[in-house]
Amino acid sequence: MIMRVESLNFENAQGHRLSGRLDRPSEGAPRAVVLFAHCFTCSKNLSAIVHLSRALTDA
């Protein structure tokens, strides 16, 4: 399944810039939503996190 990926960037209350990604199915409405927060020393681009996100989106 092909998915749509949207980049998200925003500032928190302390003015720190945060970024994330929103993976959505290419067709139809999502059936559920999952918020996945990576570990403190990792990034949203870690391959294990990307694979997990893709698997959840495909499901």
Side-chain angles (χ1 to χ4, degrees):
M1 173 183 277
I2 298 172
M3 63 182 178
R4 294 181 290 167
V5 178
E6 298 176 36
S7 294
L8 305 171
N9 296 293
F10 56 95
E11 288 188 10
N12 68 7
Q14 289 79 32
H16 298 279
R17 184 173 173 84
L18 304 173
S19 67
R21 54 185 277 156
L22 178 61
D23 298 338
R24 302 174 64 171
S26 61
E27 297 178 1
R31 294 183 308 206
V33 177
V34 175
L35 175 64
F36 184 77
H38 60 75
C39 65
F40 182 72
T41 59
C42 301
S43 80
K44 68 184 184 306
N45 301 318
L46 185 66
S47 63
I49 294 170
V50 172
H51 291 300
L52 178 60
S53 178
R54 287 181 182 160
L56 290 169
T57 301
D58 285 344

